[in-house]
């Protein structure tokens, strides 16, 4: 009897996850816990590490854990996720080796004005060197951001 190889089509899951999202790339000289502390104190946010959605990847016969910080805006469906792009010399998204963090906003509409305000506030944080908007088309490994 011939064996049948089944393949999981993840494209619909990926498309659904990234529907109406905004993504920022951030370069900073500050460690993740200090960066989140700055975000919370200087911008009035409440990012907290969420171990339940931590990204676990196996590469080169090693396991890597990429922390994800989460902030849910009160009285809104908008959720903010801050991904650490580097763990123990390995990158979550190797195509963005120059970025330290990825900030994903989803579950509600993010206007261009709101996004511009976030970028301006991020640039005011000590140690932040670059803030750039990323389009979904630029991300080669989108599935790594899905939890």
């Amino acid at each position: 009897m011939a064996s049948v190889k089944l393949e999981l089509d993840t494209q619909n899951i990926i498309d659904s996850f990234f529907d109406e999202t905004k993504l920022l790339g951030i370069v900073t000289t500050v460690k993740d816990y200090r960066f989140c502390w700055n975000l919370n104190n200087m911008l009035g946010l409440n990012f907290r590490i969420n171990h339940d959605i931590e990204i676990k990847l196996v590469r080169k016969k090693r396991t890597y854990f990429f922390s994800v910080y989460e902030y849910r805006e009160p009285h809104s469906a908008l959720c903010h996720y801050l991904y650490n792009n580097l763990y123990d010399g390995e990158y979550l998204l190797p195509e963005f080796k120059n970025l330290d963090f990825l900030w994903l906003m989803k579950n509600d509409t993010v206007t261009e004005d709101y996004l511009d305000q976030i970028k301006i506030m991020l640039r005011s944080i000590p140690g932040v060197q670059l803030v750039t908007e990323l389009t979904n088309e630029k991300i080669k490994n989108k599935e790594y951001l899905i939890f």
Side-chain angles (χ1 to χ4, degrees):
M1 183 164 194
S3 65
V4 177
K5 184 177 180 181
L6 300 176
E7 189 173 311
L8 181 62
D9 181 14
T10 59
Q11 193 58 49
N12 287 338
I13 296 169
I14 292 169
D15 291 343
S16 174
F17 184 85
F18 284 97
D19 189 37
E20 292 198 35
T21 61
K22 295 290 184 179
L23 186 64
L24 297 176
I26 303 165
V27 176
T28 182
T29 58
V30 181
K31 296 279 188 193
D32 58 352
Y33 59 88
R34 185 69 173 171
F35 182 62
C36 279
W37 184 87
N38 283 335
L39 287 174
N40 292 342
N41 286 300
M42 295 179 75
L43 306 183
L45 305 176
N46 192 20
F47 273 102
R48 297 284 179 241
I49 195 165
N50 186 338
H51 295 289
D52 294 334
I53 58 175
E54 182 176 71
I55 308 296
K56 175 184 169 184
L57 293 178
V58 178
R59 293 185 182 147
K60 303 173 193 167
K61 298 182 183 178
R62 287 194 53 205
T63 304
Y64 297 91
F65 299 93
F66 298 91
S67 55
V68 180
Y69 294 80
E70 179 180 27
Y71 168 62
R72 295 180 181 270
E73 285 198 15
H75 314 295
S76 171
L78 185 60
C79 295
H80 301 263
Y81 299 98
L82 187 69
Y83 298 80
N84 199 336
N85 194 38
L86 179 65
Y87 177 82
D88 200 22
E90 192 65 37
Y91 292 91
L92 176 63
L93 296 181
E95 63 268 30
F96 296 119
K97 289 182 178 181
N98 59 320
L99 299 176
D100 298 301
F101 297 99
L102 304 161
W103 183 336
L104 179 76
M105 294 169 239
K106 66 178 283 155
N107 294 341
D108 204 351
T109 303
V110 176
T111 65
E112 288 303 314
D113 287 341
Y114 181 82
L115 194 62
D116 289 341
Q117 287 176 349
I118 295 284
K119 289 190 248 183
I120 289 167
M121 289 188 297
L122 279 170
R123 289 181 182 118
S124 73
I125 294 176
V128 172
Q129 299 173 337
L130 175 74
V131 179
T132 186
E133 185 173 358
L134 304 173
T135 60
N136 291 339
E137 296 79 33
K138 291 183 181 178
I139 306 170
K140 294 178 186 173
N141 300 298
K142 291 178 189 171
E143 64 275 9
Y144 294 160
L145 299 178
I146 298 175
F147 37 82

